[in-house]
Each structure stands twice: as structure tokens, then as C-alpha cells.
Amino acid sequence: MAKAPKPILDLVAPVRALFVGDASAGVLLILVAAAAMLIANSPLAHSYHDLFHAPFAFTPVAKLNTLHLWINDGLMAIFFFVVGLEVKREWIEGQLSTAEQRRLPVLAAAAGMLAPALVYFFFVQGEDPQLAQGWAIPAATDIAFAMGVLGLLGNRVPASLRLFLLTVAIVDDIGAVLIIAVAYTAGIKFMWLVGALVILGVMLALNRMRVKTVVPFLLLAVVLWYFVLNSGVHATIAGVAAAMLIPMVGKNDETMLERLEHQLAPWSAYLIVPVFGFANAGVNLSGLGLAGVFAPLPLAIAAGLFFGKQIGIVSAIFVADRIGFAPRPQGANWPEIWGVSILCGIGFTMSLFIGELAFPGYRLLIDEAKIGILLGSLCSAVVGFTILRMTTAHPGDEPGRAGSD
């Protein structure tokens, strides 16, 4: 007797699984990056470039006269605002709320930023001094992309490692924001900065007064963004600063901060970051050739992301565990820890963002940096996934448990 055909829902379930939970945002970023690269190397390349870089005839903000600038300095401020909300929540009542919980993620994130920078300097030593400005490009980890790849493995990965990757990426974001504020800020305009500080003071006063209405905070956040944009400090820093002053007060057991995070996080993950990725990932390879692909800059970035991240993070965990400073993630073996450390080398969003800041006005260097970011992130994603697929088997852990806090 012939077997009955499988229901249509059963046939599409594996495909549908790619677009739910942790995996969805990461898969979307992969598709967006691929689309940007295909269009940038097609007959539509000039249209793609003009769409994002052609000057506007009119713009309400003089400093933002192209769509590319509105995305990088405007939309991405919302992304950093969401990052700031997540960091504050985790720091106050989440997985980074105690000194014991912070030890391993902070140490691993610090080592995972230092080692890639050292690897980068090793590859660019003796080259054009301008390349030194890109040292922070391989230091960042893309939360959505890395968690997305991890999500494709379902419950094979121990919950403790999922939580570890998330917390390391959050601490990594804090480091990236500090780097942007300190290393990529020049030409400060004092009066605009004073105005920004005044706005921060007003937001702090509203916070201390335990104001429960979100509208004043959001309006002041927009004003803060405008002042910071004109101060010389990168505008996205305003997003993080504003988020730090959103109060943890609210109604019905949900704070204002949590409510904002829940409302904005999907827009950030499924609209803002993909739009940013599409606008920034496209590189026309015909103008670079093999010499450009294997130039010192892309090789340094790719090596920093792929080798530097795993060396720094695994070494930090090993030392911390051996000396008793902080135990390694519970229930995880060293091959699994190695695989997750490699996934931390996916730098996509933050690395692309820092790459634009590192070489302003140097289109060739920015394009070479993008090649290195894509190459290093792709290698980290494929190798990390493969190692975890071969070494993990934890069906008892519930999918998503690590990120349920």
C-alpha cells in the first residue's frame, strides 16, 4: 500500500523554522547582504550607488543630504537606542546585574576586542599609516547575525552557551559605542555639545522625578540627537545616551524601558538593520580586482574577525576557568565553547558601521574594509556553525531558554 503524502505544512516546516526565533533576523541579514552584493555587481550598480549617495535637492537637516547619511546617522541612532535599552535592562535586572554574572562576559568581550585589534595591526604594519584607523573594525560582534546562526542549530547548543554569546555580544556593543565616542570623534563644536548636555540633564531630572509618560523622553531624545549630530560626536551616541535615561518605572509590571524595547526591537531587527545592511554591504568588485580583495586591509579585517575573536575569547575563558576567576559556561565542553567563540567573529552590522567612520572620504578603503568584513563574517559563520553542528547534542535544553530573561 502506497504511503500517504506528507501534509504541506510538514514539508514547509524546515523552511519556516529558519524564519522564527533567534534565526530569523540573522537569515534576513544574510539575504540582504547577498542582495546588496548581487545588485552592486550587476547592471543596476549605478542606480544602487545613486539611490544612496546622490545628494538631495532639499533636506530638513543640512548635514544629512543623502539617503546613506540619513540611514547611517538617523535610522542607526534608533538601532543604538534599542541597544542602549537592552544594555540598561540587562545591567539592572538581567544577566549582567551582579558582579559574578558580569565577570566572564566582560573579560571575554574585552579579550575578544583586544585580540582582533592586535591581529589587525600585525597585518597592516609597514603599510599605509592611514590603515591604522581601522583597528576597531574587527573588534565588534553582530548580535542578530551571531544569534541567528546559533538559532539554526535549535536546541543542540546548551542554553548556557546561548546566554554566554548574548551577554558577550551585549558587552561588546558597550565597547563598540565607547570606541566610536572616543576614537572616531573629531572637531568638537562646544556650544552644540553643551546643548546636548543640557538636554541630558533635563532627561535625568524627569527620570529622577519618576515621570511615567514616555512622550517627553522621546521628544527630548530627538532634540538630543540633533544637538549631538551637530556637535562633532557621532549622532548614534545620542541613541545610547538617551536610552540610559529612560526610567525603569511603569504600569502593569512592565517598565517604560521594557515597553519601549519590546515595541522598537522588531523594527530595529527587521527593518532598520536590514536597510542599513543593504545600503552598506554592496561592493562593486570590478573596481577592486583580486589585488583589492587580497590587499592588506581586507586580509587584516578578515583575520582579526576570524582568528582574533576566537583566540581572544577562548583564551580568556580558559584562563578565567583555570584560575577560578569565573567558571566556563555550565554544561558546555571546550569544542562547543570554541564554536561559539568563532561565531563571535561575525562582525557584520557594527563592523560595517565602524568601517564607514574609520575611513571618511576614502571610498576605496571603505570598499576594501567591506570585503574584509564580509569575508571574515562569512568564514566565522560557516566554520562556527559547522563545529557546533558536529560537537553539540543537548536536546534537553529548551530552544530560546537562554534569552528568555
Side-chain angles (χ1 to χ4, degrees), residues 109 112-113 116-117 135-143 168-169 172-173 175-177 179-180 304-305 309 343-354 373 377:
M113 299 183 82
W135 65 271
I137 298 174
T141 295
D142 189 297
I143 294 180
V168 167
D172 194 288
D173 276 347
V177 169
I179 288 172
I180 292 170
L305 285 170
K309 276 289 184 181
L343 289 186
C344 289
I346 303 174
F348 192 72
T349 304
M350 292 300 292
S351 292
L352 286 173
F353 191 81
I354 295 174
I373 293 166
S377 296

Side-chain angles (χ1 to χ4, degrees), residues 279-355:
N280 288 273
V283 182
N284 191 324
L285 299 177
S286 63
L288 292 173
L290 286 178
V293 173
F294 293 101
L297 178 58
L299 287 180
I301 293 172
L305 285 170
F306 182 70
F307 294 109
K309 276 289 184 181
Q310 59 177 293
I311 291 171
I313 293 176
V314 170
S315 299
I317 297 173
F318 181 80
V319 171
D321 185 63
R322 282 302 177 93
I323 67 175
F325 179 77
R328 70 176 187 260
Q330 187 177 11
N333 58 44
W334 287 109
E336 292 170 343
I337 290 171
W338 179 37
V340 165
S341 299
I342 294 174
L343 289 186
C344 289
I346 303 174
F348 192 72
T349 304
M350 292 300 292
S351 292
L352 286 173
F353 191 81
I354 295 174

Side-chain angles (χ1 to χ4, degrees), residues 34-276:
M37 286 297 292
L38 287 173
I39 293 174
N41 291 277
S42 75
L44 297 174
H46 288 294
S47 299
Y48 171 83
H49 181 272
D50 290 344
L51 172 65
F52 295 111
H53 296 281
F56 291 144
F58 168 78
T59 177
V61 180
K63 288 179 69 70
L64 306 183
N65 65 344
T66 67
L67 181 58
H68 186 262
L69 288 173
W70 271 104
I71 291 170
N72 284 29
D73 291 3
L75 272 182
M76 286 301 283
I78 302 175
F79 165 78
F80 277 90
F81 181 73
V82 175
V83 169
L85 293 175
E86 184 175 24
V87 168
K88 181 174 180 178
R89 176 179 56 79
E90 291 290 345
W91 203 268
I92 292 178
E93 62 179 22
Q95 299 300 328
L96 298 171
S97 59
T98 67
E100 291 75 16
Q101 290 174 309
R102 294 170 193 158
R103 284 179 184 173
L104 190 62
V106 170
L107 179 63
M113 299 183 82
L114 176 61
L118 294 177
V119 171
Y120 177 90
F121 279 123
F122 174 80
F123 275 84
V124 300
Q125 62 179 335
E127 303 292 338
D128 184 351
Q130 181 70 30
L131 299 184
Q133 294 296 317
W135 65 271
I137 298 174
T141 295
D142 189 297
I143 294 180
F145 212 143
M147 291 300 293
V149 174
L150 202 63
L152 294 176
L153 292 160
N155 61 356
R156 294 179 60 88
V157 179
S160 61
L161 269 185
R162 296 164 64 85
L163 177 59
F164 173 75
L165 175 59
L166 180 63
T167 51
V168 167
I170 290 172
V171 177
D172 194 288
D173 276 347
I174 298 173
V177 169
L178 293 175
I179 288 172
I180 292 170
V182 175
Y184 298 113
T185 294
I188 298 295
K189 296 181 180 178
F190 185 71
M191 293 307 298
W192 285 105
L193 190 59
V194 169
L197 293 175
V198 170
I199 298 299
L200 285 172
V202 174
M203 294 183 72
L204 178 61
L206 293 177
N207 185 308
R208 293 293 177 84
M209 294 165 60
R210 302 184 69 80
V211 172
K212 297 183 179 180
T213 305
V214 71
V215 174
F217 288 97
L218 294 182
L219 291 176
L220 287 169
V222 173
V223 177
L224 176 66
W225 168 81
Y226 184 76
F227 281 16
V228 172
L229 175 68
N230 288 280
S231 72
V233 178
H234 199 272
T236 52
I237 300 301
V240 177
M244 292 296 108
L245 294 174
I246 298 297
M248 297 284 285
V249 298
K251 303 173 183 178
N252 302 324
D253 296 326
E254 186 178 45
T255 68
M256 183 191 300
L257 184 147
E258 290 172 325
R259 188 166 63 253
L260 273 176
E261 185 183 355
H262 292 160
Q263 291 172 347
L264 293 177
W267 290 97
S268 176
Y270 296 104
L271 178 64
I272 293 173
V273 172
V275 167
F276 170 83

